[in-house]
Amino acid sequence: MEVCAPSSLRGLRDRALLLVGYAAALRRSEVGGIALRDVSYRSAGIALTVGRSKGDQEGEGTVIGIARGHGATDPVQAVRSWVAAAGLNDPSEPVFVRIAWSDVRALRGRGLSGEAVQEVLRARATQAGIDDLDLSGHSLRAGHATTAAEAGVPADRLARTTRHARLETLARYVRPSEALRDTSSASLGL
């Protein structure tokens, strides 16, 4: 997360956006749709309410837990720092908003679009030197699923966070991980 300098408003926002999107396995439109009222701080992390989404067309909402992280990768502290620096205080305000070109104030009132979330991800990947990964706004969600599966998280527990109703759909996210785990190319001595 060194590319998201905490000394700039844009860096604070982007750090919080990327960490929350990844930790909660969010779709890019869901990231842009988070309002301040959707973020409930708890001792163990954040209880994030995700409203209307692809998997919840009725808008009933789903609560996703985001555990505290460590240092620069703590999504809870990243959100707290961003919200404080941006001066967000109205519960109906979007959490992730545009920033003035001068990087001195948040342009409050309207959340980032899914395309803008994708642009943030790609720009930060380029800065980090990993722009060859063909990242998209969906990569936060897919990255969560793949990394959790590699860490041995059971599929039913993973599906509760990703909000996949069918494990077959979830398996499409995890398959690239399996392909790398059992590839014979690892035995070629390269």
Side-chain angles (χ1 to χ4, degrees):
M1 297 308 302
E2 293 83 23
V3 299
C4 297
S7 58
S8 77
L9 203 54
R10 190 167 277 105
L12 287 170
R13 182 208 54 197
D14 292 358
R15 178 185 303 258
L17 181 154
L18 294 171
L19 288 170
V20 166
Y22 178 69
L26 298 177
R27 296 174 179 91
R28 62 187 188 172
S29 62
E30 293 169 340
V31 173
I34 298 171
L36 205 52
R37 70 174 162 261
D38 300 327
V39 179
S40 178
Y41 298 101
R42 308 296 169 109
S43 59
I46 292 175
L48 178 68
T49 302
V50 177
R52 183 178 305 275
S53 67
K54 181 180 173 185
D56 181 14
Q57 295 295 312
E58 293 78 37
E60 294 176 15
T62 304
V63 177
I64 300 170
I66 300 176
R68 290 187 179 280
H70 308 283
T73 59
D74 180 0
V76 178
Q77 187 55 48
V79 171
R80 281 190 186 277
S81 296
W82 159 244
V83 167
L88 303 176
N89 54 20
D90 178 349
S92 65
E93 275 187 292
V95 172
F96 300 112
V97 295
R98 293 180 336 166
I99 297 173
W101 65 270
S102 60
D103 198 32
V104 295
R105 69 183 173 90
L107 301 174
R108 297 160 55 174
R110 206 172 98 206
L112 293 177
S113 67
E115 291 78 22
V117 170
Q118 180 168 310
E119 287 174 23
V120 167
L121 178 63
R122 286 187 174 161
R124 294 303 181 166
T126 297
Q127 283 184 300
I130 56 171
D131 52 335
D132 60 332
L133 296 179
D134 190 32
L135 298 173
S136 71
H138 205 65
S139 296
L140 297 170
R141 184 170 167 80
H144 176 112
T146 300
T147 304
E150 287 175 345
V153 174
D156 60 329
R157 183 172 152 216
L158 179 54
R160 283 194 301 276
T161 299
T162 62
R163 299 165 325 272
H164 280 99
R166 299 179 47 199
L167 294 181
E168 298 82 27
T169 305
L170 176 60
R172 289 193 298 228
Y173 286 83
V174 178
R175 195 175 323 134
S177 168
E178 293 298 320
L180 288 172
R181 183 175 298 143
D182 67 358
T183 181
S184 59
S185 71
S187 302
L188 300 178
L190 301 175

